[in-house]
């Protein structure tokens, strides 16, 4: 075993500054990926010298994360590993990074590949399943199953298109690269301090190759369990209302105290079969399976000011600040049931996300100057909420609220939040959401070595992909409307669902103010499931929800040409990539002259839209050795990212509680950008690097939200419909026409994203050292719209110590405030986010090490707001996570 143990927080940043395999073909040319430029971290100090040497030989601007052994990553998924790389940030909304943003762009502008090809993606959370974005959810890729992460920041013709922000290639391990018989294993216990639960984490790998090194097989597997809890304060939006004296102000619609509990169970494995009978032929067959079980239960007790005022209620003693009623007293209309003032939601979900991938990779070298590379494969992902039991209790109410501390305070005069008799079952629903993502593909590349002046090689390739995204949503018609919700032959009451107790004693302790609602009666998920299981038709009959049901097919045809150049003290390439996309969108539109499909919401007409478009993407990269110690790199090119799938559907997704919705446009054009990259690196000695990289992205068209009011049908219990809804024509007394604020995606003005990355790595003294990287990103749209995902400042600081016995690191990660998206017809922003993580490994023997890791040591919370801090939207506390165990390699 190496005398120094590598740790991800240090190794990832060092590797990001100092190692990357050569730019891959459409499928990561095996010869390139396995070349001498690849750096495998075997020990911290030893890896630095090798990594720096490799960095100096590159012709592209790229970063890499590597690790020696299975289980060497303290981070538990690939997104957590990537956040240590300059220019990459994550958001831990549920306590664990799921998506990455690269160089100030939104997550859906980052392209993720697995061994050089696109990988299907799926989500576990129902709102993300409905949203159907292109951003990859890294929860389905545990860090233990990967061998290397390549982050490409400058475009190159032989790199798969799709990433305006950049491209991340996840590379699994090959058996012929390891020892003849390699066995690695890791066993840990995971402790989440909010849930107070201790759970197992296990991973392992077995790799074998024959003595001739012509055939090898590798099998890796992981199992991880973690029971989590997230405490939160939420405000679902703001509506204009009269607050007295002829004055209008924005009043919070719903203010809630919420607890989210989840059983996370992740397991999977990968296999690699490698056959190299001669120097001329190599075959790789790889497969990946990952499943993320994500059952969850959410409870939220909410003050419903918007409904109370809409039903004739009053607001008194309002405190107005910058047009927002930041405090006041709200009461439902006296003597009536219209205009409920309190609502309590309990949601029990069975959810899963899984990914499977298989591919065949062949490299043939008929001569020393010609390489033929062929790759074909298939990948599929499913993100399903197979069953969601939703129960809502409501009633008239009177409460005071105060938002001025930034942590909402609510006090109910009535009803008593600890007494279930104060509210009644008002709405019940059973639903399911399925989301399937699938792609079949093949690539063919040829590279010819030449000696034509400065030109050293010509490379050409073709590709074909066939991609399907299918989403369906089924739900009951709402009632299970409560008059028909039965318990032992009678109408159910709130008490039938109650546990008999209140919230945990430490609920909201880390995020509450003195007046925050931090205790209320709890719903028993077992009782909820049992009551729903006992219901009968027609209340349990599910119908298709057209606005969330659609299918998208994309076929792409294309190819590229690339020329490589080199001379004394310089090297580079120039190329052109051409891609045609054929798109077919199928869904439903509400109404229509001759509706062919009906459900309790009215009539819907199937719709199909087809379109094709072609992208021509030139690129060039140049590396110049200015001296023995200084390297200058330049990259330029055109990039494209196709719209999110949900954005090119014909349908509309509606939120009947808030009367908001989101709709797509099948004719939406992609994001397109011209970008320029510049990097200069100084190597004063073989273990030190100082680097500065600048980037400029001229984005020609952002995809933006356009909001308008549309009158659309919805189902409500008469008397509980939101303000503005009127009975619809026809015989259904529960059908109302309501004014919805609808966000429709459209092509807006262009903009630019510019900034720089600075990184330093240096041993300090003895076994001590430091790694620092900082990114500045300034993104602006020409029309002034905020840019999703852009934090102007991000910082990574890592201090480490390593010797023969001990490896330790302390890593601080920070990103400044950023705009998330338009949510419920209002902007959703997030305040700055930081995390302090630590990792320690003690070498007991040459083969065994004891490990301990901690995530979010300072227990930082997540704060969200709507446009300004005077309009808070949410505060979430995910608590701290601790891992301790043993790691072995033989």
């Amino acid at each position: 075993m190496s005398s120094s143990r590598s740790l991800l927080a240090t190794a990832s940043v060092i590797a990001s500054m100092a190692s990357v395999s050569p730019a891959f073909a459409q499928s990561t040319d095996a010869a390139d990926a396995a070349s001498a430029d690849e750096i495998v971290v075997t020990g911290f100090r030893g890896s630095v010298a090798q990594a720096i040497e490799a960095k100096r030989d590159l012709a592209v601007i790229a970063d890499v994360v590597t690790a020696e052994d299975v289980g060497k990553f303290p981070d538990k998924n690939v997104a957590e590993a990537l956040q240590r790389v300059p220019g990459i940030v994550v958001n831990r909304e549920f306590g664990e990074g799921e998506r990455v943003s690269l160089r100030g762009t939104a997550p859906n502008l980052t392209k993720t590949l697995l061994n050089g090809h696109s990988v299907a993606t799926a989500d576990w959370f129902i709102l993300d399943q409905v949203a159907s974005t292109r951003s990859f959810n890294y929860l389905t890729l545990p860090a233990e199953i990967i061998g290397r992460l390549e982050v490409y920041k400058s475009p190159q013709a032989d790199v798969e298109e799709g990433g305006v922000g950049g491209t991340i290639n996840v590379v699994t391990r090959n058996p012929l690269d390891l020892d003849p018989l390699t066995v690695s294993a890791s066993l840990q216990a995971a402790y989440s301090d909010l849930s107070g639960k201790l759970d197992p984490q296990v991973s392992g790998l077995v790799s074998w190759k024959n003595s001739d090194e012509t055939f090898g097989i590798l099998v890796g597997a992981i199992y991880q369990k973690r029971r989590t809890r997230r405490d939160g304060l939420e405000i679902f939006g703001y509506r204009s209302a009269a607050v007295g004296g002829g004055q209008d102000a924005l009043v919070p619609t719903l203010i809630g105290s919420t607890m989210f509990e989840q059983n996370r169970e992740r397991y999977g494995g990968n296999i690699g079969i490698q056959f190299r009978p001669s120097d001329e032929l190599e075959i790789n067959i790889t497969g990946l399976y990952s499943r993320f079980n994500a059952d969850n239960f959410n409870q939220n007790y909410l003050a419903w000011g918007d409904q109370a005022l809409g039903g004739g209620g009053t607001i008194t003693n309002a405190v107005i600040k910058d047009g927002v009623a930041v405090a006041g007293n709200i009461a439902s209309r006296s003597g009536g049931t219209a205009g409920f003032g309190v609502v309590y939601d309990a949601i029990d979900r069975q959810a899963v996300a899984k990914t499977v991938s298989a591919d065949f990779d062949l490299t043939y070298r008929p001569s020393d100057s010609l390489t033929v590379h062929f790759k074909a494969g298939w990948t599929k992902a499913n993100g399903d909420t197979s069953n969601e039991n939703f129960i809502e209790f409501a009633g008239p109410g009177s409460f005071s609220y105060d938002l001025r501390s930034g942590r909402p305070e609510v006090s109910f005069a009535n009803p008593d939040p600890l007494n279930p008799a104060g509210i009644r079952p008002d709405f019940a629903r059973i639903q399911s959401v399925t989301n399937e993502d699938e792609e079949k593909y093949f690539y063919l590349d040829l590279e010819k070595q030449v000696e034509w002046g400065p030109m050293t090689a010509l490379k050409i390739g073709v590709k074909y992909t066939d991609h399907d995204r299918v989403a369906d949503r089924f739900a009951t018609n709402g009632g299970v409307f409560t008059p028909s919700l039965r318990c032992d032959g009678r109408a159910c009451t709130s008490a039938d669902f109650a546990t008999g107790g209140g919230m945990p004693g430490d609920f909201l302790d880390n995020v509450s103010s003195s007046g925050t609602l931090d205790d209320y009666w709890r719903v028993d998920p077992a009782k909820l499931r049992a009551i729903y299981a006992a219901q009968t038709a027609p209340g349990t009959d599910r119908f298709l929800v057209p606005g969330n049901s659609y299918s998208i097919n994309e076929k792409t045809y294309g190819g590229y040409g690339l020329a490589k150049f080199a001379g004394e003290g310089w090297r580079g390439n120039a190329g052109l990539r051409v891609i045609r996309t054929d798109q077919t969108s199928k869904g439903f539109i509400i109404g229509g002259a001759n509706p062919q499909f009906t459900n309790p919401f009215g009539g819907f007409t199937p719709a199909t839209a087809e379109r094709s478009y072609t992208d021509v993407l030139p690129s060039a990269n140049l590396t110049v050795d200015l001296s023995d110690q200084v390297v200058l790199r330049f990259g330029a090119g055109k990039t494209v990212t196709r719209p999110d799938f949900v954005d090119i559907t014909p349908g509309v997704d509606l939120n009947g509680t808030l009367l908001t919705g989101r709709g797509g446009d099948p004719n939406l054009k992609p994001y397109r950008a011209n970008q320029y990259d510049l990097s200069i690196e100084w190597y004063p000695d073989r273990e030190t690097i100082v680097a500065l990289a600048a980037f400029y992205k001229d984005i020609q068209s952002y995809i933006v939200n356009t909001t308008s009011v549309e009158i659309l049908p919805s189902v409500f219990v008469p008397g509980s419909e939101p303000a503005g809804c009127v009975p619809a024509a026809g015989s259904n007394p529960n059908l109302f026409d309501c004014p919805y604020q609808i966000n429709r995606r459209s092509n807006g003005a262009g903009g630019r994203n510019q900034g720089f990355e600075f990184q330093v790595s240096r041993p300090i003294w003895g076994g001590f050292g430091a790694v620092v990287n900082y990114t500045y990103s300034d993104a602006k749209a020409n029309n002034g719209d905020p840019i999703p995902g852009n934090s102007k400042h991000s910082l990574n600081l890592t201090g480490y110590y390593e010797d023969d016995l001990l490896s330790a690191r302390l890593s601080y990660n920070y990103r400044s405030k950023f705009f998330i998206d338009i949510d419920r017809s209002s902007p959703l922003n997030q305040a700055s986010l930081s995390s302090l993580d630590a990792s320690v490994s003690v070498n007991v023997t040459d083969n065994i090490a004891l490990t301990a890791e901690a995530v979010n040591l300072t227990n930082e919370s997540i704060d969200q707001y709507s446009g300004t801090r005077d309009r808070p939207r949410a505060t979430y506390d995910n608590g701290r996570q601790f891992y301790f165990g043993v790691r072995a390699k033989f």
Side-chain angles (χ1 to χ4, degrees), residues 578-593:
V578 180
I579 299 295
R580 174 184 171 87
T581 304
D582 292 344
Q583 170 193 305
T584 302
S585 303
K586 295 182 179 181
F588 299 90
I589 59 174
I590 298 176

Side-chain angles (χ1 to χ4, degrees), residues 96-285:
E96 187 174 357
E98 299 187 18
R99 308 172 199 279
V100 302
S101 295
L102 182 54
R103 284 187 162 180
T105 59
N108 62 331
L109 298 184
T110 299
K111 180 76 170 182
T112 296
L113 309 175
L114 179 65
N115 292 322
H117 62 80
S118 295
V119 57
T121 187
D123 291 295
W124 63 268
F125 188 49
I126 191 168
L127 296 182
D128 294 324
Q129 291 168 349
V130 170
S132 288
T133 74
R134 291 184 191 265
S135 62
F136 187 80
N137 191 323
Y138 285 97
L139 283 181
T140 58
L141 282 183
E144 286 87 345
I145 67 175
I146 62 107
R148 184 176 66 254
L149 303 174
E150 302 171 337
V151 182
Y152 287 82
K153 297 179 177 179
S154 61
Q156 187 162 288
D158 60 354
V159 176
E160 180 81 0
E161 80 285 346
V164 165
T167 300
I168 297 171
N169 185 38
V170 180
V171 182
T172 56
R173 301 167 188 271
N174 290 321
L176 295 185
D177 297 333
L178 302 178
D179 292 335
L181 178 62
T182 299
V183 179
S184 300
S186 175
L187 174 63
Q188 287 187 314
Y191 177 78
S192 300
D193 67 349
L194 271 185
S195 68
K197 304 296 184 181
L198 192 67
D199 297 303
Q201 312 255 310
V202 183
S203 64
L205 175 144
V206 177
S207 179
W208 171 87
K209 65 182 178 182
N210 63 6
S211 58
D212 294 333
E213 297 194 2
T214 59
F215 178 78
I217 184 168
L218 175 152
V219 177
I222 65 102
Y223 174 80
Q224 298 173 347
K225 182 177 181 180
R226 189 163 66 88
R227 286 169 288 182
T228 70
R229 187 183 112 194
R230 185 185 76 169
D231 298 349
L233 299 168
E234 295 181 328
I235 298 176
F236 285 165
Y238 296 82
R239 288 284 182 88
S240 180
V243 295
Q247 184 178 9
D248 288 344
L250 293 175
V251 177
T253 57
L254 293 136
I255 308 172
S257 299
T258 178
M259 185 172 72
F260 178 92
E261 298 171 286
Q262 185 174 43
N263 291 327
R264 294 190 164 202
E265 188 178 43
R266 179 165 43 206
Y267 58 88
N270 65 306
I271 185 170
I273 301 173
Q274 193 172 12
F275 181 50
R276 189 189 295 157
S278 66
D279 293 339
E280 291 77 27
L281 179 65
E282 181 175 333
I283 296 173
N284 282 274
I285 300 173

Side-chain angles (χ1 to χ4, degrees), residues 8 87 104 240 243 346 402 446 547 610 634 663 708-709 840 889:
L8 173 64
S240 180
V243 295
D402 195 330
L446 291 88
E610 297 181 350
F634 173 77
S708 62
V709 176
V840 177
K889 178 184 177 182

Side-chain angles (χ1 to χ4, degrees), residues 3-28:
S3 62
S4 298
R5 304 291 295 179
S6 64
L7 295 167
L8 173 64
T10 52
S12 64
V13 181
I14 288 293
S16 73
M17 296 184 294
S19 76
V20 65
S21 51
F24 50 83
Q26 297 172 111
S27 56
T28 310

